[in-house]
Amino acid sequence: MKAVTFCWFVNVLILLDTTTCSNGEKKDGSTITPPGHNLPFGSHTTPFEVPVVDKFPTPNVFFEEYMHKSRPLVIRSILNLTTFPAVVKWTDDFFRKEVGEEYIDAEPARKENRNLTPEQMTMRSFLQQYADRELYLVSGIDVFRAKDKLKDDLYVPRSLHCGGLQYLIESLVMWFSSGGTKSVLHNDDYENFNCVLDGTKELIFVDTKHREQVQADGYHEDGSYSDVDVDKVDMHKFPRLGEVPVYKAVLHKGDCLYIPYQWYHQVNSPGGRSLAINFWFLPTRWFNTSDCQNKDLQHQTQPSSKFGIGQNQIQAWNKFTWSFQEKETSKAKYKEAISTDFPKSQFLQDELFKDLDKDGSLSLSVEELYNVDINKILQKYPSLDAALTAEDITHDEL
C-alpha cells in the first residue's frame, strides 16, 4: 500500500512540474494540444442534445418557446406519420420524368468550397453522374419550370399555419447528393425548417450569442461563413472556437429540424442518397394571437399551395421594418434606420410615420407595425412598393 501511495505521489509531482506556462507552453518547452485540435468541428467539447418532440408545435407554442427564445428543435419521424408526398414520390425516376430536361447548378465538390464555380447541367445529367462524382445540387424550387408540380408534393409544417407566420415563408430549397457532403460553418439570415426526405444528416450548432468567438478568426462577413476546416480544426489558428458550447442533432428520413435565426451550424451527410428540403422564413418579433383563434390546427401539414411563398407583400414589409422593430421605436430612431438602411426611401419618413403611429405617441410599437393594413398603405403610397424594389432588399439586410 505504501509503495502504491508513493508512486501516485511521484506521478503528481511530475504532472505539477510540467504544468503549462502563461504563454501556452509546458515548462519543458513542448506545446500543449488544445481540445479538439486537428479533429472534426465540435470535438473540443461534449455537445448538448437538441430537444426532440414527435409533432410540430402549434404556432403560438412554436413562436413563444422556440422562435422567441431562439431554441432549436427536432421533430422526429413527423414526415413518415403525416401528409408529405415528396417523401415517397421524389425518387430519381420521378425527377427524370418531371424535371429531367431542366437545367440546374451543381456544386462540384461534396465538401463545400465557396470559391468553386457551380457546374450547369440538366437534371437528367446530374442523376446519371451524382452517385459517382462529387456533385451536390442546391436549388430553390422556384427555378424549375415544373415548380408548381414540385410544390404540390411539399407541405408546410403546422408551426407556420397562422399568427402571421404563414406570410413569412420566403423560399423552398432542395439539397440533393449521394452523401458524404460537408458544409462550411456558417449562419443564415433566415429562420429555417430543414426536413430530410432521404438519408441522414448530422448538424453541429453554435448559439448566435457566441458570435464574438465564432467570428474572431477567419470569418467572412460577406457570405457569413468561416474558413475553418470542419474536418480538421486547427485550434491554434481558430483558438476561440474552443470556447464555444455546441449542440448536436442527427436527422433521419422523415425528421425535421428547426434552426433558429442566425444560429451557426455545420452540416454533414454520411454516404448514401441524401435529399432534403428546407423552408426559409423571415424572423419576426410579433405573433398575432387572434389570427389563430378560428384556425383548424389539427393537421400537422398543409399544402404549400395555400401559402403565398415568396410572393407576399407582408414579407417585403417585414424586411422594410426589421431594422426598427423594437418594443418601442422613437421617431428619431425610425428616421435614422430609414436613412441608413434605405436611403432611397427617405422621402417617406414623415408622412408614413404619421400613418403608422396610430396612438400619436411619437413612437412605434411592434403591434402598430404589424397591425397596419399593408394594402391600404401601398395604395396611399404607390411609390413605396417601387422604393422597396429599388432598394433591392434581401435577407442579408435583415
Side-chain angles (χ1 to χ4, degrees):
M1 184 68 181
K2 288 182 179 179
V4 172
T5 302
F6 176 76
C7 290
W8 174 84
F9 180 71
V10 170
N11 286 334
V12 170
L13 289 177
I14 292 172
L15 288 172
L16 289 174
D17 188 57
T18 59
T19 301
T20 58
C21 301
S22 59
N23 63 2
E25 292 186 347
K26 294 181 181 179
K27 287 184 178 181
D28 62 4
S30 61
T31 303
I32 189 171
T33 301
H37 181 60
N38 284 339
L39 295 175
F41 176 68
S43 300
H44 65 281
T45 186
T46 301
F48 295 100
E49 295 296 323
V50 175
V52 177
V53 295
D54 59 2
K55 294 180 180 179
F56 288 117
T58 57
N60 61 319
V61 171
F62 174 64
F63 178 79
E64 292 295 338
E65 296 299 321
Y66 298 99
M67 281 187 71
H68 186 63
K69 295 181 179 179
S70 189
R71 298 171 57 208
L73 179 69
V74 172
I75 305 90
R76 187 72 73 201
S77 297
I78 186 64
L79 302 189
N80 300 324
L81 304 173
T82 190
T83 305
F84 206 96
V87 174
V88 175
K89 290 179 63 176
W90 282 17
T91 63
D92 288 6
D93 285 339
F94 169 85
F95 287 131
R96 286 190 189 93
K97 178 181 178 182
E98 301 298 339
V99 293
E101 305 313 313
E102 297 204 33
Y103 280 88
I104 55 92
D105 288 330
E107 297 181 7
R110 290 193 177 101
K111 186 173 181 178
E112 186 177 9
N113 181 341
R114 297 200 175 183
N115 294 318
L116 298 179
T117 302
E119 295 183 24
Q120 189 176 73
M121 61 185 70
T122 64
M123 178 63 111
R124 185 177 303 279
S125 179
F126 171 83
L127 293 169
Q128 290 171 344
Q129 301 179 61
Y130 84 104
D132 302 315
R133 282 191 59 198
E134 292 205 1
L135 293 174
Y136 194 8
L137 188 160
V138 181
S139 176
I141 297 300
D142 279 339
V143 305
F144 291 97
R145 294 192 302 274
K147 61 184 177 182
D148 291 337
K149 188 172 187 63
L150 295 177
K151 285 181 178 178
D152 285 344
D153 297 332
L154 300 173
Y155 279 42
V156 173
R158 173 173 69 167
S159 303
L160 304 179
H161 286 183
C162 65
L165 305 183
Q166 72 269 36
Y167 303 122
L168 301 181
I169 307 171
E170 180 106 325
S171 60
L172 307 176
V173 180
M174 180 196 306
W175 308 78
F176 188 12
S177 75
S178 60
T181 58
K182 300 173 186 291
S183 79
V184 293
L185 174 63
H186 67 287
N187 72 357
D188 300 308
D189 286 326
Y190 281 120
E191 307 276 9
N192 185 359
F193 267 116
N194 190 299
C195 296
V196 177
L197 309 184
D198 201 5
T200 299
K201 287 188 179 293
E202 177 187 283
L203 294 95
I204 306 296
F205 300 92
V206 179
D207 194 326
T208 187
K209 67 184 180 182
H210 299 296
R211 177 185 304 270
E212 180 184 345
Q213 294 97 316
V214 174
Q215 298 190 186
D217 304 291
Y219 198 86
H220 297 264
E221 291 282 356
D222 182 13
S224 297
Y225 69 99
S226 173
D227 277 336
V228 67
D229 184 341
V230 297
D231 283 329
K232 194 176 181 181
V233 177
D234 186 337
M235 282 297 182
H236 297 298
K237 187 177 179 181
F238 298 88
R240 302 212 60 188
L241 288 181
E243 302 173 12
V244 299
V246 300
Y247 290 76
K248 181 179 180 179
V250 178
L251 308 179
H252 304 285
K253 182 176 181 177
D255 294 345
C256 289
L257 168 71
Y258 165 59
I259 304 175
Y261 171 63
Q262 288 195 338
W263 269 52
Y264 300 93
H265 52 286
Q266 191 271 316
V267 188
N268 301 307
S269 299
R273 187 176 187 266
S274 178
L275 179 62
I277 194 81
N278 76 276
F279 299 80
W280 262 335
F281 56 104
L282 298 171
T284 181
R285 296 185 175 97
W286 185 72
F287 184 83
N288 186 352
T289 304
S290 62
D291 182 59
C292 293
Q293 289 178 354
N294 298 316
K295 295 289 177 67
D296 179 7
L297 298 174
Q298 296 302 310
H299 299 288
Q300 288 292 305
T301 58
Q302 291 282 0
S304 61
S305 59
K306 292 186 176 183
F307 300 80
I309 297 175
Q311 302 173 354
N312 202 291
Q313 291 170 329
I314 295 178
Q315 294 167 10
W317 182 255
N318 191 76
K319 292 176 179 179
F320 182 68
T321 60
W322 178 256
S323 58
F324 48 91
Q325 279 185 30
E326 296 182 358
K327 191 172 183 181
E328 291 289 336
T329 299
S330 67
K331 185 174 182 178
K333 188 157 188 178
Y334 157 85
K335 294 180 74 171
E336 179 185 355
I338 294 292
S339 299
T340 302
D341 295 339
F342 309 105
K344 296 177 185 176
S345 304
Q346 290 187 61
F347 64 91
L348 297 169
Q349 288 181 2
D350 293 323
E351 285 188 73
L352 183 57
F353 187 90
K354 290 178 183 177
D355 284 329
L356 297 177
D357 184 21
K358 294 296 185 183
D359 60 5
S361 64
L362 296 181
S363 65
L364 301 179
S365 67
V366 175
E367 287 77 10
E368 283 177 322
L369 291 174
Y370 275 96
N371 282 324
V372 66
D373 185 331
I374 296 174
N375 290 324
K376 190 174 181 180
I377 287 289
L378 292 178
Q379 287 175 3
K380 183 174 181 179
Y381 303 101
S383 56
L384 176 59
D385 191 31
L388 293 178
T389 303
E391 299 292 353
D392 192 25
I393 303 172
T394 69
H395 70 276
D396 292 329
E397 293 178 295
L398 290 176

